[in-house]
Amino acid sequence: DDVNRIVGCELFKYSDRDNPEKSYDMARVYFGHYSKKLKGSKVGILVAMARQWNGGPNGHKKKATKGYGEKARFLIEAF
């Protein structure tokens, strides 16, 4: 719903989440909208984006997403 609101029309359906290409497109819209103002190192920004994905547009600020962010940091730094 949020991605469709951002693009201004009903471009995506719930079933599109199961389609890897459309899911990627939805993620690009979401992060392009909500993550463009994030600052920091590349790893720090990716962790903040993971926390947004987990906790919504302000997820990178929420205490509840810290654990998810640390799991993401571990995976990001492993590669």
Side-chain angles (χ1 to χ4, degrees), residues 1 4 7-8 11 15 17 19 30-31 40 43 55-56 71 73 78:
D1 292 333
N4 282 330
V7 296
L11 186 61
S15 60
R17 294 177 295 178
N19 178 317
Y30 185 86
F31 289 126
V43 171
K71 288 179 187 178
R73 180 180 304 278

Side-chain angles (χ1 to χ4, degrees), residues 1-14 16:
D1 292 333
D2 201 20
V3 171
N4 282 330
R5 182 192 57 76
I6 293 166
V7 296
C9 64
E10 295 294 319
L11 186 61
F12 299 103
K13 301 176 282 195
Y14 287 111
D16 291 340

Side-chain angles (χ1 to χ4, degrees), residues 3-78:
V3 171
N4 282 330
R5 182 192 57 76
I6 293 166
V7 296
C9 64
E10 295 294 319
L11 186 61
F12 299 103
K13 301 176 282 195
Y14 287 111
S15 60
D16 291 340
R17 294 177 295 178
D18 296 328
N19 178 317
E21 290 177 13
K22 289 185 179 185
S23 186
Y24 178 81
D25 291 340
M26 287 186 275
R28 285 184 54 128
V29 170
Y30 185 86
F31 289 126
H33 183 76
Y34 288 117
S35 302
K36 59 186 167 196
K37 294 182 181 179
L38 294 175
K39 300 204 184 319
S41 67
K42 187 181 237 182
V43 171
I45 291 171
L46 290 172
V47 170
M49 290 170 71
R51 291 178 68 189
Q52 283 180 322
W53 191 252
N54 181 244
N58 291 311
H60 62 293
K61 299 176 184 177
K62 295 180 179 176
K63 190 176 184 179
T65 65
K66 276 189 146 187
Y68 189 87
E70 289 309 309
K71 288 179 187 178
R73 180 180 304 278
F74 175 79
L75 292 172
I76 293 163
E77 290 177 346

